[in-house]
Amino acid sequence: MAEFPDWLQPMAATLTQERFAVPGWVFERKFDGIRMLAFKRGDEVRLLSRNRLPQSHAYPDIHAAIAALPFRNVILDGEAMGMFGEHAEPLYHVFDVPWLQDRDLTRLPLSERRDVLEGLPFEPPLVLVERITDAAPWERACREGWEGLIAKQVDSLYEHRRSPSWLKMKCELTQDLVVGGFTEPKGSRVGLGALLVGYFEGREFCFAGRVGTGFTAKLLLELRARLDALEVEKTPFTNAIDLPLAAHWVRPEIVVQVGFIEWTRHGKLRHPRLLGVRRDTPASEVVRASR
């Protein structure tokens, strides 16, 4: 008989900029709450955050619901929403079951753990996280205002670390930006390293950061050829912090569309990726649209 653990490190998802829907992967809604492990051993119940902080005082209804489960021992993994005392009803969105009735389930594939999970007698405030089966699940996520999605390999084991078998796809903002420069490629990369992009604010050309992902090799070479023809000696950015020391500067004429998670407090793009090159937008009309 396996020994019931006092604690286990929760499996964490790796942030990705990829968007895909292929066999062997399943998708779940990403909730913006408190990641919480629920431990029940006999009459003892503990609700612990990712950092092992006790949460039973904040979620007494969830604590009571775990205590009422008809199992001698169980560990559930999920996201808690609506803390006690808030207007919203507290809910525990459960997406995994690492342990049940003296069985360590962490070495089972996700598909088998999900079968176990779907057989558990959950009632609110315990809620089973639904699987998203849309052809383009991230489009639904962003359309409905979710924080994003978690993509999981169906045969993934429950790893006690941040794993590439679970991927975090956050909903993106999009922004048209103007290329003001670029860096040289490194290693096996061709064409260019990253685009240096910005937007206009009155007469100022403001630096918004570097965009280094989302390119094909063909596009890298095509952009390099276009940018070489626009090269100038001095930076066109008039309002800039943290410009790279080694860069090529260009006349700000090429407009690109960029996906990103958010603006940082320093006015830079967080996790940007190239979505495409715009040919229908004059550079002079590009302003910061997302605050």
Side-chain angles (χ1 to χ4, degrees):
M1 181 186 301
E3 182 178 353
F4 187 85
D6 290 330
W7 170 254
L8 58 83
Q9 186 67 33
M11 187 168 178
T14 300
L15 181 65
T16 182
Q17 303 300 327
E18 295 182 57
R19 299 293 182 267
F20 61 86
V22 296
W25 290 80
V26 293
F27 297 86
E28 299 171 357
R29 177 177 176 177
K30 183 183 187 303
F31 290 92
D32 187 18
I34 299 294
R35 179 73 178 275
M36 193 165 73
L37 293 171
F39 295 77
K40 179 186 179 184
R41 178 168 55 183
D43 294 331
E44 179 190 8
V45 171
R46 291 182 300 142
L47 305 181
L48 300 175
S49 71
R50 184 197 296 270
N51 298 321
R52 306 193 189 192
L53 298 177
Q55 299 295 317
S56 291
H57 65 288
Y59 301 98
D61 292 347
I62 295 174
H63 181 105
I66 298 295
L69 289 174
F71 306 115
R72 183 172 57 259
N73 51 61
V74 64
I75 301 175
L76 300 176
D77 191 359
E79 198 90 2
M81 304 285 290
M83 190 174 297
F84 180 70
E86 294 182 352
H87 179 70
E89 177 187 1
L91 293 173
Y92 186 34
H93 298 275
V94 183
F95 51 71
D96 218 319
V97 53
W99 188 282
L100 182 66
Q101 296 290 67
D102 301 320
R103 291 182 61 206
D104 180 355
L105 306 184
T106 59
R107 307 312 298 170
L108 294 181
L110 175 67
S111 57
E112 294 185 31
R113 299 199 308 275
R114 178 72 183 195
D115 288 342
V116 173
L117 196 60
E118 290 180 352
L120 301 186
F122 287 164
E123 294 183 2
L126 308 184
V127 181
L128 179 66
V129 172
E130 73 166 309
R131 287 283 167 81
I132 309 302
T133 58
D134 300 54
W138 54 89
E139 291 183 2
R140 175 184 171 187
C142 297
R143 182 174 64 249
E144 298 190 8
W146 301 351
E147 184 183 356
L149 291 172
I150 303 293
K152 299 179 178 180
Q153 287 186 308
V154 295
D155 59 354
S156 59
L157 308 182
Y158 191 96
E159 302 177 67
H160 306 293
R161 67 184 183 106
R162 188 171 300 280
S163 170
S165 296
W166 288 11
L167 296 176
K168 181 166 45 179
M169 298 178 175
K170 289 194 173 184
C171 284
E172 292 181 315
L173 300 172
T174 60
Q175 170 77 55
D176 285 350
L177 293 162
V178 182
V179 181
F182 63 94
T183 60
E184 284 289 336
K186 295 181 179 180
S188 61
R189 191 176 176 100
V190 298
L192 57 89
L195 297 176
L196 309 177
V197 297
Y199 57 90
F200 290 99
E201 194 170 83
R203 295 184 178 182
E204 301 286 343
F205 184 36
C206 306
F207 180 53
R210 313 180 189 205
V211 181
T213 62
F215 301 86
T216 62
K218 181 174 182 287
L219 181 57
L220 285 168
L221 293 171
E222 289 176 353
L223 279 172
R224 179 61 187 260
R226 290 183 63 188
L227 291 168
D228 281 345
L230 298 174
E231 189 163 359
V232 295
E233 291 186 4
K234 296 182 180 180
T235 175
F237 295 105
T238 59
N239 185 344
I241 299 175
D242 296 330
L243 281 175
L245 297 177
H248 297 269
W249 307 114
V250 300
R251 294 197 303 275
E253 296 181 8
I254 296 177
V255 178
V256 294
Q257 186 178 53
V258 176
F260 63 105
I261 302 303
E262 64 182 354
W263 289 99
T264 71
R265 61 189 180 90
H266 298 297
K268 300 294 193 303
L269 306 169
R270 189 182 302 280
H271 300 303
R273 68 185 183 104
L274 184 73
L275 298 178
V277 179
R278 299 294 298 264
R279 301 183 185 275
D280 58 346
T281 303
S284 59
E285 295 181 5
V286 174
V287 297
R288 177 172 164 174
S290 302
R291 290 284 172 178

